[in-house]
Amino acid sequence: MAQNQTKYSFIAEEIRKRIMNHAYPLNQPIPDEITLAKEFDCSRMTMKKALEVLVLEGLLYRKRGHGTFIIKSALDADRLQIHNQEVNGFTKLLDGKKVISKVIEFKVIFPTEEIAERLHIELETPIYDILRVRLVKEEPYVLEHTYMPVGVIPGINQQILEGSIYSYIQDELKLKIASSYKQIRADKATLLDQQYLYCASDDPVVEVEQTVYLNNGLAFEFSKSRHRYDKFVFTTVNIARR
């Protein structure tokens, strides 16, 4: 279990891996809370919380009197599921698959008014300007344009950009990523999309604009990510509370 990781989040991560690796049959309920609690040596309340995480992510659903089942559409192998609760980086979302990050542009600049407003910084604050394309099995999935305050996330270099920035933030800088605000919109493919995502000129592109915050309240990322329409599914799960 990773440092600062809660017991229930560790369990949720392990069960998530089992689901994605087809360890449980799709036409039957997964093991019940008591059985899983014994296996993971935790309380039933902890197990309930872990399963609730996966319900909120759209991987599981509960059927009263019958148990907890896997949502089959969540296992679409050709599309990456991104849920409205996610604050993980791209590499974490594709845990188990080789992600290649190709750096197109990397420089330090001063922010525009829009970027300064989104990062809650002054116009004189230096920021990283990062443009990367992320590939899986040598196929482009997303074109990321990211801005980060240098003072909040120090030490970014080419080597880090060719790996996972979020892993560097959490594992090396020991910072905790807490929340994000996202806007998701459809757009037409730009020349950059056509060049780096291999889109046709008439292909739609899904753009995710987001500001991401640390647990101390500081905004550390403002980004616009351009996703190939045929590689992603964005999922929102709403659960009625009684």
Side-chain angles (χ1 to χ4, degrees):
M1 187 164 61
Q3 186 178 12
N4 298 326
Q5 186 177 27
T6 60
K7 179 76 171 179
Y8 77 85
S9 65
F10 168 76
I11 294 170
E13 183 176 323
E14 291 300 310
I15 295 177
R16 185 187 299 111
K17 289 178 181 177
R18 293 182 184 184
I19 291 171
M20 302 311 294
N21 290 328
H22 304 278
Y24 299 123
L26 293 178
N27 59 347
Q28 297 176 23
I30 67 170
D32 59 55
E33 289 177 3
I34 296 176
T35 301
L36 288 171
K38 289 180 179 178
E39 178 185 350
F40 284 94
D41 191 25
C42 67
S43 68
R44 186 173 179 180
M45 184 62 68
T46 297
M47 181 54 62
K48 183 176 182 179
K49 196 170 182 180
L51 294 179
E52 184 70 10
V53 169
L54 301 179
V55 169
L56 289 171
E57 287 184 3
L59 285 176
L60 298 175
Y61 72 96
R62 300 181 189 275
K63 190 174 181 180
R64 182 168 294 182
H66 293 82
T68 303
F69 294 80
I70 297 168
I71 296 176
K72 296 179 183 180
S73 61
L75 300 183
D76 187 339
D78 296 325
R79 298 192 179 199
L80 174 62
Q81 300 277 337
I82 297 184
H83 308 283
N84 64 327
Q85 294 89 5
E86 291 283 5
V87 291
N88 292 313
F90 184 77
T91 302
K92 182 66 174 179
L93 289 174
L94 283 164
D95 191 23
K97 295 184 180 180
K98 184 179 180 180
V99 176
I100 297 174
S101 303
K102 289 189 176 179
V103 182
I104 301 168
E105 190 171 76
F106 174 45
K107 58 187 176 182
V108 175
I109 63 170
F110 292 110
T112 63
E113 289 188 4
E114 178 197 15
I115 296 169
E117 180 181 350
R118 297 304 179 90
L119 289 173
H120 314 297
I121 57 176
E122 302 296 329
L123 292 172
E124 297 79 17
T125 304
I127 62 171
Y128 301 113
D129 181 353
I130 304 161
L131 184 63
R132 299 189 298 173
V133 61
R134 316 298 296 279
L135 303 97
V136 180
K137 296 180 180 179
E138 299 184 356
E139 189 172 14
Y141 269 52
V142 57
L143 182 65
E144 298 177 343
H145 202 164
T146 305
Y147 306 94
M148 293 182 171
V150 175
V152 178
I153 309 296
I156 295 290
N157 56 35
Q158 183 82 12
Q159 182 178 0
I160 292 168
L161 295 179
E162 290 175 353
S164 168
I165 299 177
Y166 275 33
S167 292
Y168 169 73
I169 290 171
Q170 296 175 105
D171 299 338
E172 299 297 325
L173 298 182
K174 305 299 182 185
L175 298 174
K176 187 173 179 59
I177 299 170
S179 61
S180 66
Y181 172 76
K182 296 180 183 178
Q183 291 182 318
I184 301 173
R185 62 178 69 93
D187 197 7
K188 296 179 180 178
T190 65
L191 291 176
L192 279 177
D193 298 327
Q194 294 172 48
Q195 181 179 357
Y196 292 106
L197 295 180
Y198 305 156
C199 295
S201 60
D202 57 350
D203 277 348
V205 173
V206 179
E207 182 179 81
V208 180
E209 180 182 301
Q210 69 173 2
T211 304
V212 192
Y213 298 85
L214 300 173
N215 66 338
N216 58 12
L218 289 177
F220 76 90
E221 173 191 323
F222 171 61
S223 62
K224 293 181 180 180
S225 299
R226 310 275 293 181
H227 300 264
R228 276 179 46 166
Y229 78 93
D230 59 336
K231 293 298 180 184
F232 291 84
V233 173
F234 293 86
T235 304
T236 298
V237 179
N238 296 304
I239 299 176
R241 302 296 182 184
R242 298 181 181 180

